[in-house]
Amino acid sequence: HVLFRLVAFIYRLISKKQIWIISDRLNVAGDNGEAFFKYVVKQKNKKFKPYFLISKDSPDYKRLNKIGKVLSYGSIKHKILFLSSPYIISSHADDLVINPFGKQWPYYANYYDYKFIFLQHGIIQHDMSNWLNKKNKNIHIFVTSTTKEYESIINGNYLYSKKETKLVGLPRYDFLNSKSNTNLEKIILVAPTWRKKLVHELNSKSREIKLGERPYNKKFVKSDYYKHYKSLLNNDKLLLMLKKHGIKLHFVLHPAIIQQRKDFKVSGNIIIKENVNYKDEFEKATLLITDYSSVAFDFAYLKKPIIYFQFDKQNFFEKQIYTKGYFSYEKDGFGDIFTTVEEVIKTHLFHTRSNP
């Protein structure tokens, strides 16, 4: 403990540049953190030095290293620079991002002198004040993208004012462009969000679990979530129609669900994707099927059709990290809402009327 504090103190004295630590998920990039990192690196500002923080085991580590300086999460260098950095900037607000010392943080508490810049993972449509409130996260700058989202933060229970909350938009949208119709691929994208009650905690102490992943849950296969997506992905009519029209279906596992990968069995033109580059998937696909995920905003930004598959509308918010907010899928959503697999396939999958 003494050594870390001493080295960090010396580094603060001799460093000529501010250290900015930027990140997305700790095991995968491609979000607002990476977009911001690319922008900052190009500025070549002499007053600060940006680092991108990510697990060395991540497939994105080497790629990012070609863009700028990269920090391996949990390394000695990471911890020293963390104690020396005035800004921690991330698209995620998990405790691992803002506190790499875990339960040992009291030994370094008086060195925690950073300001946390929250770039956001997506546009907030639910009430996340129980998690993101000022007492819990103490966000210095809270990025928002729409007027209603902005107002929900400053007028809600987040305890932030106009001073901290900024209506500036998501960095990744600067890099999000729709391909021309001639370059679009015949791809249907299925990208549901996760359910907190179906997964174990992120910060597992098991050595078998990689950073940023969760332990496998044996009870997952008994859930309505699994049963409905299993039914969709293995529907005979869907498989026949995909083959007939030469369409691929990409089922994108949410990062909080990837530990359940082996539970999903697919065939034909259906492909299971994990730790994907969402930008590429959004740009290539012609149709999105999601449930309650904010990825719908990205797809709508590209002016592409969307279907909401909400089989658990009545109990979705039970045990989630958020509660129902200002956003109404019926009034504010970007497409039609269906509750059964049969409705999705029979009525709208190949002849959708949905328009963002």
Side-chain angles (χ1 to χ4, degrees), residues 121-172:
H121 168 52
I123 294 174
I124 291 179
Q125 53 191 338
H126 308 303
D127 186 347
M128 304 183 76
S129 61
N130 284 337
W131 181 49
L132 293 175
N133 66 78
K134 192 169 186 176
K135 291 182 179 179
N136 192 27
K137 298 298 179 181
N138 193 25
I139 297 169
H140 181 68
I141 294 180
F142 197 132
V143 169
T144 61
S145 303
T146 73
T147 302
K148 284 188 176 182
E149 179 194 26
Y150 171 78
E151 292 174 347
S152 74
I153 303 302
I154 61 174
N155 296 325
N157 297 318
Y158 293 85
L159 308 179
Y160 296 108
S161 66
K162 294 179 179 179
K163 179 181 177 181
E164 300 96 353
T165 314
K166 306 299 178 183
L167 183 56
V168 294
L170 300 180
R172 69 170 183 253

